[in-house]
Amino acid sequence: MSLPRIHPIPLVGLVGRAEKSKFTHLFNHGQDVRFGYYCWYIEDDGKKILVDAGGTAEQAVENWGRPPETVTHVQTLQEGLARHGTSCEEIDIVILTHLHLDHMAYVHQLKGARFIVQKKEYEFSQNPHPTDRFYQSSITEGLELELIEGDQHITPNVRVLFTPGHTAGGQSVAVNTPGGLAIVTGFCCIHENFTPGDKISKIMPVVIPGIHQDVVKAYDSMIRVKTEADIIVANHDAAYLDGAPVPPLSVSSVEK
C-alpha cells in the first residue's frame, strides 16, 4: 500500500494589516501578514479523510469584522474536493483539530462523515470562556461526534496528537507520507512560528500563536510538533494559497 499524501484545499486568502503579532505572540508588532483558511484532504486505508471543515470569506467579514478588500474567496470546499475527484458527501472521516468557527464552516455539508474531536475541546466549546470569542456552541448540533482523549490512531498511517494550548483540547494530525512524518498543526500558526529568525531564536526556538488559552501548553505543543515531525504543515500559512504542495517546510530546515 502506498503512503498517503496531504492535499491542501485553500478556501480563503486574507491579509492582516499590521497584525502579524496575532500569529507571533509579542513579536512582529505592526507588520502585515498574509494567511489562509484551509481544509486538508487525505486518503488512507480506503478512507477519505478531511482535516478541519474550513472557513469562508463571508465569515471573515461578518464574524470577525475584516475589511472586505483584505479577504479573497478562493473556492468552496465542494469545489476544492472536486479537484481531487470526490465530494463533501463522500468524506468518511473528519478530524476537527479544534472547534473555532474558522475551522467549522462547512461541517454540516459533510453528511455521513465520522467526526473526531477531543473530549476536552468539545466540553469547552459548549460553555466557552468569554475571552475566547471564536466558538459557537450550536455549530455541532446534529453532528455525530466521536469524542476521544489524547493521542489515537485513526487509520494505519494517520493519527492524532493531543496538542493543547491554543485551545483547551486542540489536536494535530500526524500522517506517514512518502516524504516522512508530516504533522498538520492543530493550533493556528504560520511557518514563521517555527522559524522565528536569528534574533528571536536566541530567546526561544519557536514563537507561540498570538491567540492562545495557555501560554505554557501552547509552547510545549509546538515543541512536540517540531520534535516529532519531519514535515510541518502550519495550518494558516499563505504558502498553500499559491499552490505549494506539502511539504513546503521540512524540519531539516528548522533549527531543532
Side-chain angles (χ1 to χ4, degrees), residues 28-77:
N28 303 311
H29 290 287
Q31 296 183 30
D32 292 351
V33 61
R34 185 167 175 253
F35 60 104
Y37 291 167
Y38 301 92
C39 295
W40 313 88
Y41 178 62
I42 305 161
E43 293 183 8
D44 188 44
D45 196 36
K47 300 295 184 183
K48 296 183 177 183
I49 303 167
L50 200 65
V51 178
D52 285 338
T56 67
E58 292 80 8
Q59 184 184 65
V61 173
E62 295 174 10
N63 289 30
W64 318 132
R66 292 194 173 277
E69 66 273 17
T70 68
V71 180
T72 302
H73 169 76
V74 177
Q75 62 186 339
T76 66
L77 177 57

Side-chain angles (χ1 to χ4, degrees), residues 182-201:
I183 298 181
V184 181
T185 63
F187 39 86
C188 296
C189 63
I190 56 178
H191 286 146
E192 195 168 331
N193 290 97
F194 291 95
T195 57
D198 293 340
K199 184 177 181 179
I200 299 174
S201 294

Side-chain angles (χ1 to χ4, degrees), residues 90-110:
E90 294 178 284
I91 296 298
D92 299 297
I93 300 170
V94 180
I95 302 172
L96 298 170
T97 61
H98 59 292
L99 300 180
H100 279 174
L101 289 174
D102 58 322
H103 296 256
M104 296 287 288
Y106 291 96
V107 73
H108 288 284
Q109 293 187 23
L110 299 160

Side-chain angles (χ1 to χ4, degrees), residues 96 104 107-108 110 115 139-145:
L96 298 170
M104 296 287 288
V107 73
H108 288 284
L110 299 160
F115 293 90
I139 195 72
T140 55
E141 289 179 2
L143 301 180
E144 292 189 14
L145 299 178

